[in-house]
Structures are given as structure tokens and as C-alpha cells.
Amino acid sequence: MKKTFIAVEGPIGVGKTSLAHKLSQTYGFHEENEIVDENPFLSDFYDDISKWSFQTEMFFLCNRYKQFQDLQHVTTDIVSDYHIYKNKIFAHNTLTTDEYSKFSRIYDILTEDLEMPNMIIFLDADLSVLQQRIAQRNRSFEHQIEDDYLLQLQHAYNRYYNELKSEGANVIRIDTTNLDFVGNSEDYQMILNLVDPMIGGTQDE
């Protein structure tokens, strides 16, 4: 039987890691978190996106490729707070046409044999909520994130969700603007009510 592999995706600050952690606890899944803080280019990237975007995206791609490669040896079900495809979403918004063409070819080569998530939970929230959540987690390199950049990511993720939905992929989208699934058990249960049927009702009792 093929294992369940859930990816939680969405724009910066939307709550991906928090939800992935709670789902891993609820369902007993292996929890996989992306490596962010170790990227040496991030601070420079937010200072000057056009200058540092290729280096930043390549670092993330190589790290996420290695993580997804290692996940192929995990025998239990998995929930991850990212999908490796996010590299293309971010790169498309920051790289020049020529840079993106090169990046995309490298991405396709690296990922052609990887096991990919078979379910994606897309989270979204109003811009003001994303800003609040980014401020609350207080990562120094995120202080420079501009509103336009967040809005571009939101639109890109919505396009990706709609594309997958139209293809019949196993995806759901949840607006978390008015949800507190970390502190409010009813809000979290609402999410479980959406997720549980899609993975066969395997909540740990």
C-alpha cells in the first residue's frame, strides 16, 4: 500500500510548520520541516532580490532535493511543511527569464525520480494576517519582506492550487484568516474534518 505523503503549502507566515506539526501528532506521521535559517543568502536576498535570487533559490533547491531524497527511505506516512515545487513558485517570481529557464531545467533533472507528495494542503490568509504572523515569529531576515512580494506569492500559490484542482489532484485549500488552529481546538477540528476523509480516516485515538 502506497504511503500517505502530505505537503502543507502556502505563502510566507501562513502557518505551514505549525499545521504540519499538529497533523504529525494527530496522525502519527513522520514530520519533515524545510531548512530555512541555514540559507546564507537570505538576508542579502531580501535586501536586493534581483541580485541574490539565483543563489538563494539554488541553495534551497539543493537542500530540498536532498531532504526529499532522504524521505524515500522513510517507511511511515509523512507530513511535510513544504513541497519541493515551491522552488519553482519562488523562482518564477524572482528570477529573470533566462535564469528561470536554467533553474527550471536543473529542477526537472533533480526531481524526475523523486517521490512526490500525493496530497497538498494549501493554506492562505489575508495580507494583514500574514504580516502579523511574520512579525510574531520575528525572524530577522524576514523584516524586509515587502507587501508586493507577499501578494505575488499568494497569487502564484492560488494559480498552482487551481491548476492541480482542475487536473483532479488530491488538494484542498484552507483560508486561515479567521482561524487559530494552534490555540483553538474547534478550528483545528474543522481542518481535521477536511483532511481526514482524504487520507482514509486514520486519526490516532
Side-chain angles (χ1 to χ4, degrees):
M1 183 176 178
K2 189 174 183 179
K3 67 188 177 189
T4 298
F5 186 174
I6 301 174
V8 183
E9 265 300 351
I12 300 167
V14 77
K16 300 181 292 293
T17 302
S18 296
L19 181 58
H21 178 67
K22 288 187 70 69
L23 292 176
S24 74
Q25 298 297 304
T26 298
Y27 293 110
F29 287 5
H30 169 83
E31 180 182 354
E32 183 71 12
N33 294 318
E34 69 171 328
I35 298 170
V36 176
D37 295 350
E38 294 179 12
N39 191 324
F41 303 106
L42 263 184
S43 182
D44 291 328
F45 170 78
Y46 286 123
D47 281 335
D48 190 340
I49 290 178
S50 62
K51 181 178 179 180
W52 293 100
S53 56
F54 192 81
Q55 296 92 324
T56 302
E57 301 304 341
M58 283 303 304
F59 183 93
F60 275 134
L61 177 57
C62 291
N63 269 28
R64 291 167 184 155
Y65 164 72
K66 180 62 169 64
Q67 286 185 271
F68 262 50
Q69 196 177 42
D70 291 344
L71 284 178
Q72 295 183 127
H73 303 295
V74 175
T75 57
T76 60
D77 296 324
I78 299 168
V79 57
S80 172
D81 69 352
Y82 71 102
H83 191 305
I84 194 169
Y85 187 82
K86 77 182 302 174
N87 288 276
K88 277 198 165 183
I89 291 176
F90 278 72
H92 189 267
N93 283 338
T94 59
L95 301 182
T96 66
T97 300
D98 289 342
E99 287 175 333
Y100 181 74
S101 178
K102 294 174 184 176
F103 181 90
S104 186
R105 291 199 299 272
I106 296 170
Y107 173 92
D108 291 342
I109 292 170
L110 289 178
T111 61
E112 60 184 354
D113 296 324
L114 289 181
E115 179 182 359
M116 292 293 185
N118 45 48
M119 174 182 176
I120 308 177
I121 302 170
F122 286 89
L123 302 181
D124 200 3
D126 289 347
L127 177 62
S128 59
V129 174
L130 295 179
Q131 293 168 327
Q132 291 170 8
R133 292 175 182 171
I134 290 171
Q136 286 172 356
R137 65 188 189 184
N138 197 29
R139 290 175 173 169
S140 59
F141 56 81
E142 291 181 342
H143 292 168
Q144 309 100 304
I145 296 178
E146 296 183 356
D147 293 352
D148 286 347
Y149 183 68
L150 283 175
L151 289 172
Q152 288 174 359
L153 288 177
Q154 275 190 298
H155 295 324
Y157 271 113
N158 284 331
R159 284 196 303 271
Y160 185 41
Y161 165 76
N162 289 327
E163 288 172 7
L164 292 177
K165 187 72 174 177
S166 67
E167 295 169 0
N170 195 18
V171 297
I172 57 175
R173 179 183 177 277
I174 303 172
D175 186 339
T176 67
T177 299
N178 298 309
L179 295 181
D180 177 13
F181 56 79
V182 173
N184 187 311
S185 59
E186 291 184 0
D187 287 349
Y188 181 53
Q189 186 60 50
M190 189 208 76
I191 292 178
L192 292 180
N193 292 341
L194 296 173
V195 175
D196 198 47
M198 301 184 76
I199 59 175
T202 57
Q203 291 184 43
D204 287 346
E205 297 298 333

